[in-house]
Amino acid sequence: LVTCRVDNDCFLGHICLSNMCAIGCRANTDCSSSQICHEHSCRDPCALPATCGPNTQCNVVAHRVQCNCLPGFISHPNPHVGCVRQPITCSSNAQC
């Protein structure tokens, strides 16, 4: 274990936490472009709860989350809902 006072006291990819060098990050740029720095750890933001909502596909580009509706679904104005099923049009009751 390596003791430290600042991040520069640690090896590349490590940060100084509670005076000990540990693998971690301080900013998104410390992580790969498909990850974010979350609580001093590089993480896939799509794996975090409530990132995009239900019926969505989550992608990460340059540390930014992009949420898209799955086929057959459309955006819903409520961010907690995500995407809702696209309404179908029918010309008779038997089609609905």
Side-chain angles (χ1 to χ4, degrees):
L1 296 175
V2 178
T3 60
C4 58
R5 291 189 311 145
V6 294
D7 290 345
N8 286 345
D9 294 338
C10 302
F11 297 109
L12 186 63
H14 290 69
I15 58 173
C16 188
L17 289 174
S18 302
N19 297 326
M20 299 298 292
C21 290
I23 295 173
C25 59
R26 295 269 183 217
N28 288 341
T29 53
D30 296 335
C31 304
S32 73
S33 64
S34 64
Q35 296 179 319
I36 61 168
C37 185
H38 179 75
E39 297 176 351
H40 302 297
S41 180
C42 291
R43 310 260 315 259
D44 175 1
C46 294
L48 298 174
T51 298
C52 287
N55 306 312
T56 60
Q57 181 174 359
C58 180
N59 295 303
V60 185
V61 177
H63 310 289
R64 297 183 64 90
V65 173
Q66 295 178 344
C67 302
N68 297 304
C69 291
L70 294 173
F73 291 85
I74 56 174
S75 295
H76 192 275
N78 182 334
H80 300 288
V81 174
C83 298
V84 295
R85 188 168 299 282
Q86 189 170 19
I88 56 170
T89 55
C90 44
S91 55
S92 70
N93 286 339
Q95 290 178 321
C96 294

